[in-house]
Amino acid sequence: MTIEQREVLFQSQKEDKAAELIDYAKTLYEQQDEALKRRFPLAKPLKEQAALKLEFANGSRIIGIPEGADQIRSYHPWGLLMDEAAFQPEAGEAYDAAVPVCQKIIVVSSAGPGWFANFLTEAI
C-alpha cells in the first residue's frame, strides 16, 4: 500500500481460502483511518475489485492464489505470504519457486507433517 509498484502474493491451499485472505486485507483497508485511505487510495472502489485482488492507485497490489509452484511462476512478486504451508502438498516447490524472485517470504502454518515441519526442523 505504501510503496509503489509492489506485488505481494497470498497463497493458500484453495482459491476460496486465498479469496478469504484478500477479503480480510480489504476489511483492514476499509477500517483504517480516513487519512490513510486518502494518502494511499485504491485503483478502484473495493466493491469493484476482483475477489482475488486488492489493487492500489500507486500500482501496488495483493493477489490471492491457490497452492502450487506453478501458481507463483505466473508472477514476479516482491513478496509472498504462504498460509497453512503444512497443508499445501507443493509448499516446498512453491517456496523454491519464490526464492529467486521474492524479497520477502513469510510462511505460516499450524502444526502438521511434511515440508513445513521438515523446513523448521532443519532451520533449528
Side-chain angles (χ1 to χ4, degrees):
M1 171 173 104
T2 62
I3 300 173
E4 294 181 8
Q5 302 299 315
R6 227 7 100 87
E7 183 176 78
V8 177
L9 302 180
F10 285 6
Q11 185 174 44
S12 195
Q13 303 102 309
K14 306 262 185 218
E15 190 172 285
D16 62 334
K17 178 62 177 166
E20 287 179 22
L21 294 172
I22 297 298
D23 190 52
Y24 185 62
K26 289 175 180 178
T27 298
L28 293 175
Y29 181 87
E30 189 174 46
Q31 293 183 359
Q32 72 182 340
D33 189 86
E34 290 299 321
L36 288 170
K37 288 188 227 178
R38 284 191 301 275
R39 174 73 175 92
F40 304 106
L42 298 172
K44 52 187 164 186
L46 283 174
K47 292 180 243 174
E48 296 175 22
Q49 301 235 5
L52 291 167
K53 288 184 184 174
L54 176 56
E55 298 180 285
F56 298 91
N58 66 7
S60 291
R61 63 189 186 160
I62 303 171
I63 301 171
I65 60 171
E67 71 97 15
D70 290 338
Q71 299 295 327
I72 293 172
R73 288 186 190 104
S74 299
Y75 300 92
H76 297 292
W78 177 88
L80 170 67
L81 167 69
M82 291 178 73
D83 183 50
E84 293 295 352
F87 303 96
Q88 293 185 35
E90 294 183 32
E93 293 88 349
Y95 180 86
D96 291 344
V99 167
V101 295
C102 290
Q103 299 297 307
K104 183 172 220 161
I105 301 172
I106 299 171
V107 182
V108 295
S109 188
S110 49
W115 172 83
F116 187 65
N118 295 339
F119 185 76
L120 291 178
T121 303
E122 289 171 14
I124 293 172

